Amino acid sequence: MKSWLKKGFSLGLAMLICSVAILGCTNANNGKNNDPSTSASPAGSQNNASGEGKPEEVTLKLLVAWQGLSFLAPSDLANNPVAQIIKEKTGVTLDVEWITIPEIERLNLLFATNNMPDMVMAPYWGGQDVHTVAIKKAAREGLIMPLNDLIEKYGSNMKDAFNVGVASDFRENDLEDVSFNGERYLLPMHTPLSPEDTTQWAYNVFVRKDILEALDVKPSDIRHSEDLYPLLKKIKDGNFTDTAGRPVIPSGAWQNGWNYGSMLNSFTENNFTAFTKIDEQYRLGIFSELTEKRVLFMRKLVTEGLFDPEAFRQNDTVAKEKMATGRVAMVSAHYPHMNTVLSQSLYVDHPEMEYVPVGPIADANGENTMVESKVLKGQSGVPGMFIGADSKNAEAAMRYLNFINSEEGKLLVYLGVEGEHWTKDAAGQPKHTEKFLESAKSDPSYAVNQGIGSVYTLGVYGLPNRMFQAAGDAAQVDELYETSKEVYGLTVVDGYRLSYFNNEYPEFDKIQTLLDSNTQRDVIESAYFAASDEKALQILNDYRSQLIKGGVQEYETFMNEKAKTRDDIIH
């Protein structure tokens, strides 16, 4: 099952981290006005040779409501080369708040106190995802500023943001929710320019290479989630240590449990919604026997000391501290996150502890799919940016967003300063300079500290990822990334997700409360810590009974009837 909850936790950082030194740009507006000299800011606010018409200097407060992204912060947020040019072009300097608590907790606090910064970046996975529900509610309550007029006046480079690289059902039901009455409130970001530019995130189960070699285990030996159990037993009994000489934790996760679900892939169908099919009928996945198998498998790992019990709710700082010393032998995530964080910590002095993917671990249908290896045509959920309704700097925020979405702006935030960090080749394509490549190779933090591939990319949409990759050094292809992508490959699916009929169910507010993803998560994780398998299943079945009493069977019947009205349903 791939529920909205699961998507939120498993996708996690997935649409945010781009490899810093392989980025480039093209016109994301398909020939429309993308000239920064006329569209980076409103009329009359441009720089000119004499300094007249210089934009008003403004400090924008940006809340990054997403755990694990603080590595995108340059060491000097105001004075790095990229920031200086952004200030010159737009007058904007960023003041950024990073979070270390769960995203939904920070959003709930934000909306409850209405202590809104100028801009907020947050997850928006669509459907019944808790972040999406909270953001939509805030928009309806007037806490978020409408974007239509702002884009019309100041956002010439953002007019295609709601069409480029987003799934049609997601646009129809979430970005343009009927309750918005024609308004738009959230700017989607990090979407692909075309289907061919879809990022392959390479989610995998990763294990320290030195440990696999010591145990004489080949990565391809692991073909099923059950194969992880004997491996973890061997790791626990193998007296392996981290860089500080402490015993390793056999397996764990990054912040907030992300993404231990990949270890359970053989008990997962990797669907696009919370539904599965049981006896040819659509049923909520919580009623599937696969849920029982996941619960019992994880309970076994927790009970036998094979999985870090702290990992389910640990914050970003704690997770990174463990990973920086190689203390967790097995962990799941997507490759860009693994590489970006560990190349600046563990791998600097201990390259032998590199984490490598194992598998492919077959899914519950016996197919080689993993989270985000089977994707919709267009993003089915996005990280997004919205502006606080009471912001006095909305025009400056749009000036900033419009510039970073211009051709000049994209080149700047992803490649750096022309002539210093990149130049154009004979074909007119951007290429990193040798100086940049050498600096980035010797110092993994160099690019971010220059402002390249850093916080300033938050808010950019329509990414031409193939051209991004071509900007790097062809001789420095990340072979492990390529290997990680090949484990599961990428399958693109088109269709209309069954879950979007929720909008037509008369009592869906009641069902939505009943199916609260945080409650479901609490139930599932409490079952992991039950005293016995029988008690774990009792916890699960008691929750199922509550759902039935609350009316989910009537809801399922409605959804099955609605599914008959279309021939392109996917679940």
Side-chain angles (χ1 to χ4, degrees):
M1 178 188 69
K2 186 177 179 183
S3 66
W4 293 108
L5 163 69
K6 193 169 181 186
K7 186 174 180 83
F9 283 104
S10 65
L11 186 54
L13 306 177
M15 298 163 64
L16 294 171
I17 305 171
C18 294
S19 300
V20 170
I22 59 171
L23 303 175
C25 189
T26 190
N27 188 331
N29 290 309
N30 301 321
K32 296 185 180 180
N33 182 14
N34 207 13
D35 180 358
S37 68
T38 60
S39 61
S41 48
S45 64
Q46 308 299 321
N47 285 322
N48 58 31
S50 65
E52 296 177 359
K54 192 173 183 179
E56 177 187 3
E57 292 189 3
V58 175
T59 296
L60 290 179
K61 292 185 178 297
L62 167 63
L63 169 63
V64 179
W66 200 302
Q67 285 195 88
L69 291 186
S70 58
F71 67 87
L72 294 177
S75 56
D76 188 338
L77 190 61
N79 296 306
N80 63 76
V82 170
Q84 290 175 336
I85 292 178
I86 287 175
K87 184 175 182 179
E88 175 189 341
K89 295 289 185 178
T90 70
V92 168
T93 299
L94 293 183
D95 178 9
V96 184
E97 176 189 345
W98 310 92
I99 69 168
T100 57
I101 62 175
E103 293 83 359
I104 188 59
E105 290 183 18
R106 187 63 183 89
L107 287 174
N108 285 339
L109 178 63
L110 183 73
F111 297 141
T113 61
N114 196 21
N115 183 19
M116 300 280 282
D118 297 302
M119 300 188 297
V120 180
M121 193 284 284
Y124 195 78
W125 301 130
Q128 281 64 63
D129 157 63
V130 290
H131 314 91
T132 306
V133 171
I135 291 170
K136 284 185 177 182
K137 182 173 182 289
R140 290 191 292 268
E141 293 177 350
L143 301 180
I144 299 176
M145 189 170 292
L147 294 178
N148 286 6
D149 287 346
L150 289 172
I151 290 175
E152 184 63 31
K153 291 180 181 178
Y154 312 123
S156 57
N157 295 326
M158 294 183 283
K159 292 182 178 180
D160 283 343
F162 302 89
N163 298 309
V164 173
V166 297
S168 57
D169 60 355
F170 173 67
R171 178 175 59 252
E172 175 185 342
N173 294 283
D174 291 308
L175 294 176
E176 300 173 352
D177 187 292
V178 65
S179 68
F180 293 168
N181 297 316
E183 267 296 351
R184 292 159 170 160
Y185 290 90
L186 180 129
L187 180 73
M189 54 181 256
H190 290 189
T191 51
L193 180 62
S194 69
E196 292 74 24
D197 290 304
T198 300
T199 299
Q200 190 171 343
W201 293 104
Y203 270 89
N204 279 278
V205 175
F206 292 90
V207 183
R208 265 177 45 186
K209 182 180 179 181
D210 60 321
I211 292 177
L212 288 176
E213 290 176 345
L215 294 173
D216 195 26
V217 174
K218 296 178 181 178
S220 59
D221 291 342
I222 308 301
R223 311 295 291 188
H224 193 280
S225 293
E226 292 286 4
D227 295 337
L228 298 175
Y229 176 71
L231 174 57
L232 290 169
K233 294 275 286 184
K234 291 178 182 178
I235 291 173
K236 182 181 180 182
D237 297 336
N239 297 317
F240 297 105
T241 60
D242 69 355
T243 60
R246 296 170 297 189
V248 299
I249 301 168
S251 67
W254 290 87
Q255 71 285 341
N256 207 30
W258 182 67
N259 175 49
Y260 77 85
S262 292
M263 296 174 61
L264 310 178
N265 200 51
S266 297
F267 315 119
T268 305
E269 293 179 313
N270 292 315
N271 294 331
F272 292 101
T273 74
F275 286 88
T276 186
K277 267 199 167 181
I278 301 175
D279 297 329
E280 298 304 311
Q281 293 293 305
Y282 291 112
R283 298 289 311 279
L284 289 166
I286 190 69
F287 293 103
S288 169
E289 65 177 10
L290 292 175
T291 302
E292 298 167 15
K293 290 181 178 181
R294 286 195 296 274
V295 165
L296 295 182
F297 185 75
M298 276 306 298
R299 181 187 172 275
K300 178 168 64 173
L301 299 188
V302 170
T303 301
E304 297 186 21
L306 302 178
F307 186 87
D308 181 7
E310 185 182 40
F312 295 110
R313 302 297 172 115
Q314 69 191 4
N315 64 31
D316 178 56
T317 300
V318 171
K320 285 179 178 174
E321 287 175 351
K322 292 175 182 176
M323 294 302 300
T325 63
R327 193 167 183 212
V328 181
M330 179 186 298
V331 70
S332 304
H334 57 65
Y335 179 83
H337 182 72
M338 296 284 294
N339 184 61
T340 301
V341 176
L342 297 180
S343 66
Q344 301 179 39
S345 53
L346 178 65
Y347 296 166
V348 174
D349 295 318
H350 295 277
E352 76 281 0
M353 291 187 177
E354 184 177 55
Y355 286 80
V356 297
V358 298
I361 298 171
D363 66 17
N365 296 318
E367 299 175 354
N368 290 338
T369 72
M370 174 63 75
V371 60
E372 295 308 308
S373 76
K374 184 171 65 175
V375 299
L376 282 176
K377 182 180 180 182
Q379 299 290 170
S380 57
V382 295
M385 191 81 76
F386 60 85
I387 298 174
D390 295 329
S391 173
K392 294 180 173 56
N393 298 313
E395 180 179 330
M398 293 301 292
R399 197 162 66 230
Y400 169 78
L401 292 170
N402 199 54
F403 173 68
I404 63 174
N405 277 291
S406 69
E407 184 172 348
E408 178 186 0
K410 288 182 180 180
L411 285 167
L412 176 67
V413 301
Y414 278 107
L415 289 177
V417 181
E418 185 175 9
E420 180 179 351
H421 302 117
W422 64 274
T423 59
K424 290 183 179 180
D425 63 14
Q429 297 301 308
K431 299 288 183 181
H432 279 303
T433 62
E434 288 299 322
K435 178 182 177 182
F436 171 84
L437 293 171
E438 291 173 3
S439 298
K441 184 176 181 180
S442 62
D443 177 7
S445 301
Y446 173 78
V448 168
N449 286 335
Q450 293 286 298
I452 303 167
S454 68
V455 63
Y456 312 107
T457 66
L458 304 184
V460 180
Y461 80 97
L463 304 181
N465 290 312
R466 290 170 297 167
M467 295 187 71
F468 287 173
Q469 294 167 0
D473 184 355
Q476 294 183 356
V477 172
D478 188 338
E479 294 183 1
L480 186 55
Y481 190 10
E482 297 306 309
T483 298
S484 299
K485 288 190 284 188
E486 290 171 0
V487 177
Y488 295 98
L490 187 68
T491 303
V492 179
V493 178
D494 199 7
Y496 190 89
R497 282 170 287 175
L498 176 64
S499 53
Y500 278 124
F501 287 120
N502 289 333
N503 300 329
E504 300 180 33
Y505 188 60
E507 297 187 38
F508 186 68
D509 286 346
K510 171 185 172 183
I511 293 298
Q512 188 171 15
T513 300
L514 192 66
L515 295 175
D516 176 71
S517 55
N518 286 322
T519 300
Q520 187 170 131
R521 181 187 182 189
D522 290 343
V523 169
I524 296 295
E525 290 182 5
S526 67
Y528 297 159
F529 293 90
S532 66
D533 283 354
E534 291 73 20
K535 290 187 177 180
L537 293 178
Q538 181 180 342
I539 291 172
L540 179 59
N541 286 325
D542 286 348
Y543 176 63
R544 288 167 166 171
S545 296
Q546 293 175 22
L547 296 180
I548 292 172
K549 290 179 182 178
V552 297
Q553 290 181 324
E554 293 80 1
Y555 163 63
E556 289 175 330
T557 298
F558 173 87
M559 297 298 273
N560 276 279
E561 289 302 311
K562 294 302 295 185
K564 297 175 184 177
T565 65
R566 297 184 66 120
D567 59 6
D568 59 348
I569 292 296
I570 54 177
H571 69 283

